[in-house]
Amino acid sequence: MWKPALIGTAAVALAATAFSPQAAAAEGAPPPGRIQIDVVSVNGSGCPAGTAAVAVAGDNTAFTVSYSNYLAQVGVGSKPTDFRKNCQLGLNVHVPQGYTYAIAKADYRGFAHLQSGATGLEKASYYFQGMQQTTSTSHRFSGPFSDDWQTTDVTDVDALVYAPCGVQRILNVNTELRVGAGTSDPGSTTSFMAMDSADGSVNTLYHFEWKQCS
């Protein structure tokens, strides 16, 4: 079960589903016990105060970030700065002793309405504080387009970047949306791209990959 908590509150802590010792010891299996995520910082035009939430899966396999006001647009009704929106989250992920984690997969979704000739961009990256390795991906969209969109970023096993064992490091999650008018007419049309959904379902899902520290 997912239990969202507004970003800016103290902590998100959910009891994990019970695992047998054999399952916990398996390669890549989620750890037993309790995973807690503290939101230590939130910045960006795409996530004003009170418009984003974090929730942790009860089985320790993933966490979600949901947005309610993350929209980039150009054209009628938009401001000059609205073409780009971003959000940077600083997350302190507390894990059971003897385990570490990496982000193996990320699913992003939303809705876009792009006029013919307009373009859209969704970009995401994440990295651990004090480490040079950064995982970054971009996805481009072209108009005409008016539908839900979804992208999935998968990191190869050999390229996974794990948090250092025995050291608490902030996980920085950065996302960005951009919309360009291109050859469309911004004086008479509007194009936009949002990282949310009308039905309120999960927006961004980050999948953990676990391993035991030696």
Side-chain angles (χ1 to χ4, degrees), residues 32-157:
R34 177 177 177 171
I35 301 302
Q36 176 177 306
I37 296 181
D38 296 332
V39 182
V40 297
S41 64
V42 52
N43 295 288
S45 55
C47 51
T51 65
V54 172
V56 183
D59 60 2
N60 289 348
T61 60
F63 70 93
T64 63
V65 180
S66 301
Y67 306 95
S68 61
N69 190 26
Y70 200 157
L71 182 143
Q73 63 179 346
V74 294
V76 178
S78 63
K79 302 175 183 177
T81 56
D82 286 345
F83 79 97
R84 177 185 180 271
K85 293 296 177 71
N86 75 296
C87 184
Q88 177 169 323
L89 304 177
L91 306 177
N92 197 357
V93 182
H94 303 274
V95 300
Q97 187 174 2
Y99 284 84
T100 185
Y101 71 95
I103 303 299
K105 180 182 175 183
D107 300 314
Y108 301 89
R109 63 177 297 176
F111 184 85
H113 177 76
L114 302 175
Q115 300 287 340
S116 179
T119 60
L121 170 72
E122 176 266 316
K123 182 178 180 180
S125 64
Y126 50 87
Y127 62 94
F128 292 104
Q129 181 183 23
M131 299 178 64
Q132 294 183 346
Q133 300 98 319
T134 300
T135 300
S136 179
T137 54
S138 299
H139 300 274
R140 299 180 183 277
F141 300 82
S142 299
F145 183 92
S146 187
D147 204 348
D148 293 325
W149 61 266
Q150 181 169 342
T151 62
T152 298
D153 302 335
V154 179
T155 303
D156 293 337
V157 174

Side-chain angles (χ1 to χ4, degrees), residues 20-31 99 209-212:
S20 67
Q22 292 84 359
E27 183 68 25
Y99 284 84
E209 179 69 21
W210 294 98
K211 74 175 181 179
Q212 290 180 296

